Amino acid sequence: MSVVIVGSVAYDGVETPHGRVERMLGGACTYIALASSYFAKTQIVAVVGDDFASEDEKLLTDHGIDLKGLERVPGKTFYWAGVYSHDMNDRTTLRTDLNVFADFKPKLPESYRQSPYLILGNIQPALQRDVRNQMNGLRLAGGDTMNYWIKDYRVELLQTIRDWDFLLINDAEARMLSGEYNLKRAAAKIFEMGPHTLVIKRGEYGAILFRKDWHFIVPGYLLEEVFDPTGAGDCFAGGFIGYLAEQGFDLKNGHIHGKDLSRAVIYGSAMGSFCCEKFGVERFRTLTRAEIDARFQEFRAFTEF
Amino acid sequence: MSVVIVGSVAYDGVETPHGRVERMLGGACTYIALASSYFAKTQIVAVVGDDFASEDEKLLTDHGIDLKGLERVPGKTFYWAGVYSHDMNDRTTLRTDLNVFADFKPKLPESYRQSPYLILGNIQPALQRDVRNQMNGLRLAGGDTMNYWIKDYRVELLQTIRDWDFLLINDAEARMLSGEYNLKRAAAKIFEMGPHTLVIKRGEYGAILFRKDWHFIVPGYLLEEVFDPTGAGDCFAGGFIGYLAEQGFDLKNGHIHGKDLSRAVIYGSAMGSFCCEKFGVERFRTLTRAEIDARFQEFRAFTEF
């Protein structure tokens, strides 16, 4: 079944201890979509400028991603540049040029509106709500947000996530949103805001999926070398929603077992780990589903006891 | 089978966001021994002053801990005081009065020397080596160390761990000892130093057990409330060695399966999590083996997929 993804398609400049790339394909929507495309029909809603390169478009279409909702407008594509610390646990933003993204008003093609799965990348909460309201027959909707919206757009954000099934954020965001340092308590507070499922990304330490009565924790995959962590959290999101869509799970009507959600977290973790193995989206040029399934089994091997 | 534990028995002053205790039983040897005592016959080697209270001795003997190796000398018992940060991820030492511990020369009672399991708490590497050499018929020996010995006693430390089966340290120590930030590479370097098994404690994020050809990772147990993390790493060590001793495992002669080591890591993690639930050693006044086994099952429930 198909997944609709809304968010940024961008160009990134990235510097890590392993090298530097001035300009390469990036953006949350791009990463989520590439990851999701290994599991399910993937439809994106985003905006790019007239500088958007045909080889970048080709990478997306080569993955079978539906670009009907990719709007092209005069001007430049969103550009972000950042540099990572030596241990890659911190990054500093060097530049954020919103460009055509500044006026992004997501428009859903008619053919997207019946898709059962929706994931909203980190954009203005009011836009996220607007997209959510354009969809019919959703089985599962959720998304990401960030400190900026949590702090300065709290009312809008709370109105938006009230209708979400799942919220997928990192530990610092969960603490900021809930006002609770302890993650179990943070989850309990967030459930009162609407979502019945909370996924907390913990970077190199893995992820936790909370539901009201249970939780699942997976440690991070140990890489020999992390080349570039940009997009890893978004690839997690793509693997998570993609697997649920592939299996046709329906959280809303209870047609899902905890184990299925746990496996979605594992596929998310696997996709995040692949993302770090090369710069930007490079790893997705060669990645195969067989490699993904092999990594899923690796997760089993190093966590089972 | 029996475990010999060498290290500090101390009085601690601890302040966390949940409260403050001026003086309570503590020390690495105390925590390791209490945790180990739930699994195996536990024999300690340590020194206390003439201020060591009979009720503290009683807590140890009530757990069946053999105190033949607990030396009593005139003077005061080792005293440590520290305060934790609000999130409890950092702590500041306020006072370290070595007192009688300054002249600690571990003396093994004759009845300890044939014990098959030995765990050396974080003390001077030369003393650790001396104890190791007093034992006959060891099946499994290993221990802990810290930044101070790694930096200023490196040669002695390397001579000491050369004869160990396992090294049980935290991630920062593993990085410092190996000179590698990446934990997989750090493990590979540490194997060249002698130990065939490396256990890396990651605090709230759990633990990793490395062997040459595989590794096992467990996330940390999510507590609703962390009262006092003092001693959690030592309780991990006690649960780890205690379980291996209970099962009679023999790493040296290959009579151990990876799954058994993984389970020892789970029991270690369980003991560390209990330790945090109350101040100091308080939790061990009521803790039962049934509660420990139930927590082991909880680890399975939140990690299985």
Side-chain angles (χ1 to χ4, degrees):
Chain A
M1 293 192 194
S2 54
V3 179
V4 171
I5 300 167
V6 186
S8 58
V9 170
Y11 283 115
D12 289 347
V14 173
E15 187 176 342
T16 83
H18 294 286
R20 190 177 158 198
V21 176
E22 200 64 59
R23 183 182 170 90
M24 59 184 175
L25 180 60
C29 181
T30 304
Y31 283 107
I32 302 172
L34 283 169
S36 163
S37 73
Y38 286 86
F39 302 91
K41 181 165 160 45
T42 298
Q43 305 172 309
I44 69 170
V45 179
V47 64
V48 291
D50 44 27
D51 59 346
F52 194 65
S54 59
E55 66 260 33
D56 293 322
E57 186 173 319
K58 188 172 179 305
L59 178 69
L60 301 177
T61 51
D62 282 352
H63 279 77
I65 297 168
D66 186 343
L67 304 185
K68 259 187 233 73
L70 181 66
E71 200 184 346
R72 288 151 181 93
V73 301
K76 283 187 168 177
T77 301
F78 182 12
Y79 180 78
W80 172 85
V83 55
Y84 285 85
S85 64
H86 181 71
D87 64 9
M88 281 190 266
N89 284 328
D90 283 307
R91 77 175 182 199
T92 309
T93 291
L94 300 175
R95 232 172 104 179
T96 306
D97 302 337
L98 289 176
N99 300 329
V100 300
F101 194 68
D103 301 312
F104 179 42
K105 296 273 176 300
K107 291 171 207 62
L108 264 74
E110 200 50 48
S111 58
Y112 285 21
R113 293 175 192 246
Q114 301 292 330
S115 282
Y117 299 91
L118 170 67
I119 186 158
L120 297 149
N122 164 34
I123 55 170
Q124 229 275 11
L127 296 181
Q128 291 177 319
R129 193 162 75 253
D130 182 50
V131 173
R132 168 77 182 71
N133 292 339
Q134 292 177 52
M135 305 277 298
N136 302 308
L138 277 173
R139 282 190 171 202
L140 184 64
D144 191 7
T145 190
M146 73 184 286
N147 51 2
Y148 176 64
W149 311 119
I150 295 171
K151 244 179 57 189
D152 295 346
Y153 287 72
R154 191 174 174 85
V155 174
E156 269 187 40
L157 180 65
L158 291 178
Q159 279 173 357
T160 298
I161 66 172
R162 205 167 49 197
D163 300 321
W164 289 7
D165 297 297
F166 67 90
L167 181 65
L168 205 158
I169 53 184
N170 70 31
D171 40 7
E173 290 155 356
R175 285 171 172 142
M176 186 185 252
L177 177 60
S178 65
E180 291 282 351
Y181 183 81
N182 180 286
L183 294 180
K184 267 186 120 166
R185 287 159 182 262
K189 283 267 175 80
I190 288 169
F191 290 142
E192 292 169 13
M193 299 173 187
H196 52 67
T197 299
L198 171 68
V199 187
I200 295 184
K201 299 174 284 180
R202 308 168 104 185
E204 65 170 312
Y205 296 112
I208 312 178
L209 181 139
F210 284 101
R211 297 200 79 190
K212 283 206 177 72
D213 49 348
W214 65 273
H215 63 270
F216 170 71
I217 318 182
V218 64
Y221 184 85
L222 286 187
L223 288 161
E224 199 94 31
E225 202 78 86
V226 174
F227 273 89
D228 173 14
T230 311
D234 294 315
C235 289
F236 178 100
F240 177 77
I241 192 86
Y243 176 73
L244 291 174
E246 180 186 53
Q247 303 294 320
F249 293 135
D250 189 348
L251 271 78
K252 215 176 287 309
N253 298 310
H255 299 144
I256 187 159
H257 185 268
K259 286 274 172 286
D260 300 323
L261 282 172
S262 304
R263 285 177 197 141
V265 169
I266 300 297
Y267 274 108
S269 303
M271 298 312 287
S273 72
F274 283 119
C275 180
C276 299
E277 290 181 351
K278 293 199 172 178
F279 266 90
V281 300
E282 281 310 298
R283 187 64 180 86
F284 297 101
R285 296 195 193 278
T286 61
L287 184 68
T288 64
R289 178 63 190 258
E291 288 178 296
I292 297 167
D293 290 332
R295 185 147 299 178
F296 181 93
Q297 293 305 330
E298 271 191 83
F299 271 89
R300 206 185 279 293
F302 71 72
T303 59
E304 219 170 35
F305 60 88
Chain B
M1 290 192 194
S2 55
V3 180
V4 171
I5 300 165
V6 186
S8 59
V9 170
Y11 283 115
D12 288 348
V14 172
E15 187 175 343
T16 83
H18 295 286
R20 189 177 158 199
V21 176
E22 200 63 58
R23 182 183 171 90
M24 60 186 176
L25 180 60
C29 181
T30 304
Y31 282 107
I32 302 172
L34 283 170
S36 164
S37 73
Y38 286 85
F39 303 90
K41 181 165 159 43
T42 297
Q43 305 172 310
I44 69 170
V45 179
V47 63
V48 291
D50 45 27
D51 60 346
F52 194 65
S54 59
E55 67 259 34
D56 294 323
E57 185 173 319
K58 188 172 179 306
L59 178 71
L60 301 177
T61 51
D62 282 352
H63 280 76
I65 297 168
D66 186 341
L67 304 186
K68 258 187 234 75
L70 180 66
E71 201 184 345
R72 288 152 180 93
V73 301
K76 283 185 168 179
T77 300
F78 181 12
Y79 181 78
W80 173 86
V83 55
Y84 286 85
S85 64
H86 181 70
D87 64 10
M88 281 191 266
N89 284 327
D90 283 307
R91 77 174 182 199
T92 310
T93 290
L94 301 176
R95 232 171 105 179
T96 306
D97 302 337
L98 289 178
N99 299 330
V100 300
F101 195 69
D103 301 313
F104 180 42
K105 297 275 174 300
K107 291 168 206 67
L108 264 74
E110 201 49 49
S111 58
Y112 285 21
R113 294 178 190 243
Q114 301 291 331
S115 283
Y117 299 91
L118 170 67
I119 186 158
L120 297 148
N122 162 34
I123 55 172
Q124 230 275 13
L127 296 182
Q128 292 177 318
R129 193 162 75 254
D130 183 51
V131 173
R132 168 75 181 71
N133 292 339
Q134 293 177 51
M135 305 278 298
N136 302 308
L138 276 174
R139 283 191 170 202
L140 183 64
D144 191 6
T145 191
M146 72 184 286
N147 52 2
Y148 176 65
W149 311 118
I150 295 170
K151 245 178 57 188
D152 295 345
Y153 287 73
R154 191 174 174 85
V155 174
E156 269 187 41
L157 180 65
L158 291 178
Q159 280 174 356
T160 299
I161 67 172
R162 204 168 51 199
D163 300 322
W164 290 7
D165 297 296
F166 67 91
L167 181 64
L168 204 158
I169 52 184
N170 70 32
D171 40 8
E173 290 155 356
R175 285 170 173 144
M176 185 184 254
L177 177 61
S178 65
E180 291 282 350
Y181 183 81
N182 181 286
L183 295 180
K184 267 185 120 166
R185 287 158 182 261
K189 283 269 176 79
I190 288 169
F191 290 142
E192 290 169 14
M193 300 173 186
H196 51 67
T197 299
L198 171 67
V199 186
I200 295 184
K201 298 173 285 180
R202 308 167 103 185
E204 64 170 311
Y205 296 112
I208 312 179
L209 182 139
F210 284 101
R211 298 200 77 191
K212 283 206 175 74
D213 50 349
W214 64 273
H215 63 270
F216 170 71
I217 319 183
V218 64
Y221 183 84
L222 287 187
L223 288 160
E224 198 93 31
E225 201 78 86
V226 174
F227 272 90
D228 173 14
T230 310
D234 295 315
C235 289
F236 179 100
F240 177 77
I241 192 86
Y243 176 74
L244 291 174
E246 180 186 53
Q247 303 293 320
F249 293 136
D250 188 348
L251 270 79
K252 214 174 290 305
N253 298 308
H255 299 142
I256 188 161
H257 185 269
K259 286 275 174 284
D260 300 324
L261 281 173
S262 304
R263 286 177 196 142
V265 170
I266 300 297
Y267 274 109
S269 303
M271 298 312 286
S273 71
F274 283 119
C275 180
C276 298
E277 291 182 349
K278 293 199 172 177
F279 267 90
V281 299
E282 282 308 299
R283 187 63 180 87
F284 296 102
R285 295 194 194 278
T286 60
L287 184 68
T288 64
R289 178 61 191 259
E291 287 178 297
I292 297 167
D293 290 333
R295 185 149 297 179
F296 181 93
Q297 293 305 332
E298 273 191 82
F299 271 89
R300 206 185 279 292
F302 72 71
T303 60
E304 218 170 33
F305 61 88

